[in-house]
Amino acid sequence: MHWIATRNAVVSFPKWRFLFRSSYRTYSSLKPSSPILLNRRYSEGIYCLRDRKSLKGITTASKKVKTSSDVLTDKDLSHLVWWKERLQTCKKPSTLQLIERLMYTNLLGLDPSLRNGSLKDGNLNWEMLQFKSRFPREVLLCRVGDFYEAIGIDACILVEYAGLNPFGGLRSDSVPKAGCPVVNLRQTLDDLTRNGYSVCIVEEVQGPTQARSRKGRFISGHAHPGSPYVYGLVGVDHDLDFPEPMPVVGISRSARGYCMISIFETMKAYSLDDGLTEEALVTKLRTRRCHHLFLHASLRHNASGTCRWGEFGEGGLLWGECSGRNFEWFEGDTLSELLSRVKDVYGLDDEVSFRNVNVPSKNRPRPLHLGTATQIGSLGVPCLLKVLLPSTCSGLPSLYVRDLLLNPPAYDIALKIQETCKLMSIVTCSIPEFTCLSSAKLVKLLEQREANYIEFCRIKNVLDEVLHMYKHAELVEILKLLMDPTWVATGLKIDFETFVNECHWASDTIGEMISLDDNESHQNVSKCANVPNEFFYDMESSWRGRVKGIHIEKEITQVEKSAEALSLAVAEDFLPIISRIKATTASLGGPKGEIAYAREHESVWFKGKRFTPSIWAGTAGEDQIKQLKPAFDSKGKKVGEEWFTTPKVEAALVRYHEASENAKTRVLELLRELSVKLQTKINVLVFASMLLVISKALFAHACEGRRRKWVFPTLVRFSTDEGAKPLDGASRMKLTGLSPYWFDVSSGTAVHNTVDMQSLFLLTGPNGGGKSSLLRSICAAALLGISGLMVPAESASIPHFDSIMLHMKSYDSPVDGKSSFQVEMSEIRSIVSQATSRSLVLIDEICRGTETAKGTCIAGSVVESLDTSGCLGIVSTHLHGIFSLPLAAKNITYKAMGAENVEGQTKPTWKLTDGVCRESLAFETAKREGVPETIIQRAEALYLSVYAKDASSGVVKPDKIVTSSNNDQQIRKPVSSERSLEKDLAKAIIKICGKKMIEPEALECLSIGARELPPPSTVGSSCVYVMRRPDKRLYIGQTDDLEGRIRSHRAKEGLQGSSFLYLMVQGKSMACQLETLLINQLHEQGYSLANLADGKHRNFGTSSSLSASDVVSIS
């Protein structure tokens, strides 16, 4: 759907563009596209290059700066250094050959001494250089006819990341050049933005041009990661998926901690998170991709006093996260300098302002640490998000809930969310569908006046659903409660009555313009006798039914009159011929004729053959036959031997197309005018769209919580006065009937626990006894509670913690050179330094990664520190020596996970009990996981010989269980027919390619199974491959990156089980030739091909057609 939308969005001008160029038809009344098509953001400073006269003012000024190969500004040099760094990451052989031909004396990287490298004033390269100077760090795609072209540095990026072949092959005497057809623009943009590049798209001005004059061009828009290209979308009815916005992120360090600034160019807004811990900052970086990353010089000095950032202690985790990304350093005032960088990146004027969306809130909980977010499934598994919402609720509502958990709200907002969910769970009336509309998409489409009919209908749905809630007695209270959470999410503070009134105005404004009644007579396309209905449908369906008929009455009248005139012309010039043919009775080979619609040429012509009389006798229809002349296409070429027209029909077609185009132009003008009107209420629209996203998320959560039999907790607030005594219940958390959140309580399989926590727990228990599950469950319940959501328990009282920190198992980090114990100590340092009397700290199996004696002492010291801080929490351990240490802790409570003896075997009960458990069930766990019996028996003997005195009851030896693995394996019988077909295909491939190779005996056709990948030997080599699709058809291609191409194919729907055959050859040129040779020859041998058309041309990922001497005859 996307490529269709892009095709129409880009070619938003009339499909009958050939009318401007045809030598047969001329239009004096048609005008070039209106300037209203241009983005207002770029309208003042836009380059629109038309002819030399209009460029006189630019030419003189730019000649000294841009056309000289010797003079580059400091900014230009910095941009070239930036591009050189990115080109150093390129790996494809074809890209590396193109890079060798670059010369870094201009922003395009062109070498003027090479073929087509001239930067002469006024030529196409010179024009592209002017556009490149506006946005030097964006890939420039320039429309040239039916293609988008890139040259120099940009061509190298296209070949590397968009999978395109260079124009003209890899000839060394020409500048790098590449491009894509118009219909493939969306795919090319997706490939580039997915790899982090921004793209500047330059369009041609459509319309008649003077002889030997160059077409005017203008910057039509940009595509950024997280912000797609929308130019021309107003003229089509296709939707465009809008990804999650990707901000420009800046990170700095101050006495309060880390500071993260996220700037959203589309929304013209920024958020500032100050006082972050290192772990919380890394969590934010991992949960949201950024367009550009800027690091402030303040990060170079860490707590260890070294300027080598990340070498010791604090800062290492952040350095490990940033070192794998592209980033830039900056200095000066953090916010102002970062905003200046953003304006440079996006080419914004200095006058553009950005709005701070931060909501001031004291005592808001700190964002989640990375380990906490990972272990409870906000980022990792088991996934908490999946159980909070039903599977049918995804997208924007899911993202809102994720952000809510990662950044828990203040106490007042949490109460509003909880109260909202409570009301939602008991409403009895029907609720709206809650249309979810991306705020970034809304802002960009209205700002660039590209919102189409579909988008306006969605905006109206959003507004009407808000008004529906306002008018309903049960829903209006929910609407009022949602005002504050929406304020926090958007940073927009709007009075309730003002909000409702503005929604009324916006809804009425859209309703007055947009046609919402399909039964209106003016919405029906024209229908006239003698003209195929498909013609009128194709010509008018792009603008009919978009706006109310009252706004385009004049244009509709002209279309209807011109349609009738066309029908009359067809009747007068073509019907007599049709009647003559029908009256002629002849055997096979007689005359044929009909009135037909030439869809490709958007015309109604006469199609016939053998209708010319051998003897002219003045009979009926002869005069009309004499008026017929061959039909010509847009380039003045004869369409075919069977297509004919007349001057009268052509004139009627011209008139009809003019009228239809005028109607479409007027409709687009009205839609753009509506966008301008709604821009004045953009804050209200953004607020309304986010309010419905939150509504849908909370309604879905309330429904799922009821289904799972979860409850709303009592949320207890800490005193805001540091010196005041805690409020009742503020230093106590009680969870009755707590169950693991990943279990469905309604199924009856969960084990319930009651946790009454008033101090720090020291928890022991056997392996598999449920310690880690209990910690995860408590963490999730507390986090859900302070976020205002339902919890998996029978009842709950939860303090509004200032932070929730969960530490589970640690793994080593070879990239940072840290062992698992080093990683654990880094996390423990952060937890201990951040813990307060209002914190919840949960640490699982502390100090497991080092020597037992010293690890036990470190664990004891950590327990003492946490006890001193007064936090609530649990520290679980298998280090039983900690109970022998002279700990100075005063408020420690000993808890254990219970176990019971069943038929001579000790089994866990997964219940929380008082006391200490010294039984680990290590032998039983090892046996259950399949460790050989001999090892288990030897381990038991060693244990008895060393620790027999400490064993209270000896080692329990369960009966031996003999298991059979006969049923654990499924034997697959090879399908001989499949293997035979594969061998036959491989032989055919070698036979075809062998006649093209100098050393055919060196050819080897290798196979890749459905669940396999190519070996490392294919890296950097040119390969020809044949994909065997599940539908038994073959796809033939060539690539320099075989593994990447295979992954790309298998990522498509229905191709996951594809297998491959491939040949490694010398050079891309040979691979291209063999690709085409295989396509043509395998087809002739009867193989069914999925890309047969690729054997006929040589553009953009397909290889050239071979000459007759290259075709191999297979006997």
Side-chain angles (χ1 to χ4, degrees), residues 1027 1029-1031 1047-1058:
M1027 178 174 67
R1029 296 160 44 118
D1031 61 1
R1047 291 184 185 276
S1048 177
H1049 281 305
R1050 287 176 175 169
K1052 296 178 181 177
E1053 186 67 24
L1055 300 182
Q1056 292 84 352
S1058 299

Side-chain angles (χ1 to χ4, degrees), residues 578-592:
I578 302 295
S579 300
R580 177 187 176 90
I581 292 174
K582 290 181 178 179
T584 304
T585 57
S587 56
L588 294 176
K592 293 183 179 180

Side-chain angles (χ1 to χ4, degrees), residues 766-767 906 919-933 935-945 947 951 954-958:
N767 288 303
T906 304
E919 174 57 65
S920 68
L921 297 182
F923 298 145
E924 290 79 0
T925 302
K927 185 181 298 183
R928 187 168 60 249
E929 296 303 319
V931 176
E933 184 69 23
I935 294 179
I936 301 295
Q937 292 176 355
R938 176 56 179 163
E940 291 174 346
L942 291 173
Y943 179 79
L944 289 174
S945 65
Y947 300 105
V955 178
V956 179
K957 294 185 179 181

Side-chain angles (χ1 to χ4, degrees), residues 184-415:
N184 291 344
L185 177 63
R186 173 58 53 194
Q187 181 61 51
T188 301
L189 295 178
D190 288 346
D191 291 338
L192 294 174
T193 54
R194 185 168 52 249
N195 285 281
Y197 289 95
S198 294
V199 188
C200 175
I201 300 94
V202 175
E203 282 287 349
E204 288 180 331
V205 176
Q206 302 294 323
T209 57
Q210 297 178 356
R212 304 183 65 181
S213 65
R214 185 178 299 278
K215 282 197 171 185
R217 292 184 173 86
F218 61 94
I219 296 176
S220 58
H222 303 260
H224 303 290
S227 180
Y229 181 56
V230 299
Y231 174 74
L233 194 65
V234 66
V236 298
D237 285 340
H238 302 294
D239 193 17
L240 180 67
D241 282 341
F242 221 88
E244 185 180 4
M246 294 175 59
V248 173
V249 172
I251 300 173
S252 63
R253 178 79 186 276
S254 66
R256 296 183 57 189
Y258 290 96
C259 175
M260 177 177 174
I261 301 176
S262 302
I263 302 179
F264 297 87
E265 180 270 339
T266 303
M267 304 291 294
K268 300 298 182 295
Y270 70 89
S271 63
L272 191 151
D273 297 306
D274 200 3
L276 296 174
T277 64
E278 183 181 5
E279 289 77 7
L281 178 58
V282 172
T283 304
K284 287 181 174 291
L285 287 175
R286 290 193 183 178
T287 53
R288 170 166 283 173
R289 295 176 59 197
C290 61
H291 184 194
H292 287 280
L293 178 62
F294 292 95
L295 304 179
H296 194 264
S298 58
L299 291 172
R300 294 180 184 273
H301 298 272
N302 62 21
S304 300
T306 173
C307 63
R308 289 181 289 184
W309 179 42
E311 183 176 5
F312 305 107
E314 187 176 0
L317 181 62
L318 180 60
W319 170 247
E321 183 68 23
C322 295
S323 60
R325 303 168 179 248
N326 292 321
F327 64 84
E328 297 180 51
W329 292 100
F330 73 107
E331 298 179 348
D333 180 75
T334 306
L335 179 59
S336 60
E337 182 62 25
L338 191 60
L339 287 173
S340 177
R341 295 291 184 100
V342 168
K343 292 177 182 179
D344 288 341
V345 167
Y346 293 102
L348 303 177
D349 296 332
D350 293 336
E351 293 75 19
V352 175
S353 61
F354 286 79
R355 175 176 58 88
N356 184 1
V357 298
N358 283 98
V359 175
S361 178
K362 294 182 179 180
N363 301 318
R364 180 173 181 173
R366 288 193 290 269
L368 290 194
H369 284 200
L370 179 62
T372 308
T374 302
Q375 291 299 330
I376 65 168
S378 293
L379 293 178
V381 291
C383 187
L384 179 60
L385 283 176
K386 288 186 177 179
V387 300
L388 294 182
L389 303 174
S391 58
T392 55
C393 184
S394 59
L396 294 174
S398 178
L399 291 177
Y400 170 76
V401 174
R402 185 199 68 178
D403 291 341
L404 183 69
L405 296 179
L406 293 175
N407 304 278
Y411 177 79
D412 294 337
I413 302 301
L415 279 184

Side-chain angles (χ1 to χ4, degrees), residues 159-179:
V159 172
E160 178 71 18
Y161 295 106
L164 302 176
N165 290 336
F167 286 171
L170 295 173
R171 53 189 305 169
S172 59
D173 62 340
S174 179
V175 297
K177 181 180 287 190

